[in-house]
């Protein structure tokens, strides 16, 4: 069974929402999870056949996916999953740092008891996902924690901007989490470190310590950049050639 047919079986399209919107989400998430590898080619016809669709909604989904920077067009209507771009990852981290640091400062002054309760519950669910080594659930809850912080600040629109950019970051996050999922000793503490950082940010917000909350958030949202050289070395085939040339020159 091909990757596309496995995706169609696992995530069947439902009525009530456009096929293009659902397909966009399924393909985007599969690219982010690395189920569809960087550099892999996709054809409209293969996707249409796997999901039982005409080519029109497939074309619409791929056009929107191209706008995210995850795929690029090739001659004769084929597309290719973009390899990971270090400049794109760095830019996404910059956007995330700027918006989330501003949001966490405001949340420290304005978070309601109900918002803090939601954040604590999210962290508790993360712990359960980590204990069960549920990588996809852990990632969803990781994102949910950050969304809740921004929502607690009253900056719901800012989350849309962060969410649009994080696709450039998420493949690096999945590379790290897959190492943890595979019980790689180098990543044995990845879950617990992430949760510990969330707890520290939450404690700072709850106590109204905006300076500490901002400092913790800045470190939390930019530390992924520290992993880039290691990822480049371990997964060279997934990165744009320019990144490899720069790493070699460095």
């Amino acid at each position: 069974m091909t990757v596309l047919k496995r995706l169609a079986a696992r995530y069947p399209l439902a009525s009530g929402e456009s096929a293009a919107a659902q397909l966009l989400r399924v393909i985007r998430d599969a690219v982010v999870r690395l189920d569809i590898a960087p550099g892999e080619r996709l054809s409209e016809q293969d996707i249409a056949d796997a999901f039982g669709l005409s080519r029109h909604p497939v074309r619409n989904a791929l056009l929107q996916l191209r706008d995210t920077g995850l795929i690029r067009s090739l001659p004769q209507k084929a597309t290719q999953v973009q390899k990971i771009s270090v400049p794109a990852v760095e830019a996404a981290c910059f956007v995330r740092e700027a918006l989330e640091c501003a949001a966490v400062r405001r949340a420290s002054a304005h978070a309601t008891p109900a918002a803090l309760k939601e954040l604590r519950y999210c962290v508790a669910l993360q712990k359960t996902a980590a204990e069960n080594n549920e990588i996809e659930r852990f990632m969803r809850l990781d994102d949910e924690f950050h969304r809740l912080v921004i929502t607690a600040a009253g900056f719901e629109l800012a989350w849309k901007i962060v969410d649009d950019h994080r696709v450039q970051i998420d493949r690096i996050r999945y590379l790290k989490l897959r190492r943890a999922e595979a019980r790689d000793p180098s990543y044995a503490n990845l879950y617990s470190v992430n949760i510990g950082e969330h707890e520290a940010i939450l404690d700072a917000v709850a106590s109204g310590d905006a300076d500490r909350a901002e400092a913790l958030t800045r470190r939390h949202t930019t530390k992924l950049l520290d992993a880039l050289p290691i990822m480049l070395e371990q997964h060279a085939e997934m990165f744009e050639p320019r990144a490899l040339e720069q790493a070699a020159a460095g």
Side-chain angles (χ1 to χ4, degrees):
M1 183 181 291
T2 66
V3 170
L4 291 172
K5 288 183 177 179
R6 284 198 297 270
L7 287 173
R10 185 174 181 183
Y11 305 104
L13 305 186
S15 59
E17 184 181 8
S18 76
Q22 294 181 73
L23 188 62
L24 169 65
R25 188 163 56 247
V26 171
I27 300 296
R28 181 195 62 201
D29 290 351
V31 170
V32 165
R33 289 193 308 268
L34 306 170
D35 293 337
I36 301 177
E40 187 167 334
R41 291 195 178 201
L42 298 170
S43 81
E44 289 182 8
Q45 191 60 58
D46 287 347
I47 296 171
D49 291 345
F51 286 87
L53 298 171
S54 69
R55 292 178 65 165
H56 179 69
V58 175
R59 187 174 301 117
N60 286 344
L62 291 179
L63 285 172
Q64 293 180 70
L65 192 59
R66 187 183 62 190
D67 291 341
T68 69
L70 287 179
I71 67 170
R72 66 188 181 97
S73 298
L74 294 173
Q76 300 177 345
K77 297 184 179 180
T79 58
Q80 183 179 41
V81 177
Q82 286 275 38
K83 293 196 172 186
I84 299 170
S85 163
V86 170
V89 171
E90 291 172 339
C93 284
F94 176 82
V95 170
R96 187 181 180 200
E97 176 190 1
L99 292 177
E100 293 201 33
C101 283
V104 82
R105 287 196 69 88
R106 183 176 175 88
S108 298
H110 297 284
T112 64
L116 295 173
K117 183 178 180 180
E118 278 191 286
L119 282 162
R120 291 191 182 98
Y121 183 59
C122 182
V123 171
L125 292 177
Q126 264 197 296
K127 290 179 179 178
T128 301
E131 290 167 1
N132 295 328
N133 206 17
E134 297 173 315
I135 181 173
E136 289 185 39
R137 185 164 180 249
F138 186 88
M139 279 281 282
R140 287 196 302 270
L141 291 164
D142 189 326
D143 293 333
E144 178 66 2
F145 178 86
H146 291 275
R147 186 192 71 80
L148 288 171
V149 170
I150 290 175
T151 300
F155 291 162
E156 290 86 352
L157 180 59
W159 174 250
K160 175 65 167 63
I161 299 171
V162 171
D163 194 41
D164 286 344
H165 284 81
R166 71 180 173 83
V167 292
Q168 298 298 339
I169 300 172
D170 282 353
R171 287 190 289 182
I172 303 293
R173 293 167 67 200
Y174 261 100
L175 279 174
K176 294 171 66 179
L177 283 167
R178 286 197 183 283
R179 289 299 190 97
E181 184 184 39
R183 307 300 186 185
D184 184 329
S186 300
Y187 295 84
N189 298 321
L190 191 61
Y191 288 126
S192 60
V193 168
N194 179 281
I195 291 169
E197 291 175 357
H198 282 185
E199 289 179 322
I201 292 168
L202 176 52
D203 288 344
V205 170
S207 65
D209 190 340
D211 289 341
R212 177 166 171 74
E214 179 182 355
L216 290 167
T217 298
R218 190 176 308 282
R219 176 57 186 154
H220 182 68
T221 56
T222 59
K223 71 172 186 175
L224 178 139
L225 295 174
D226 297 338
L228 279 178
I230 300 171
M231 295 295 108
L232 276 165
E233 181 179 350
Q234 294 176 336
H235 302 281
E237 75 284 356
M238 295 190 178
F239 285 84
E240 292 285 357
R242 281 171 296 179
L244 301 174
E245 291 169 6
Q246 291 168 356

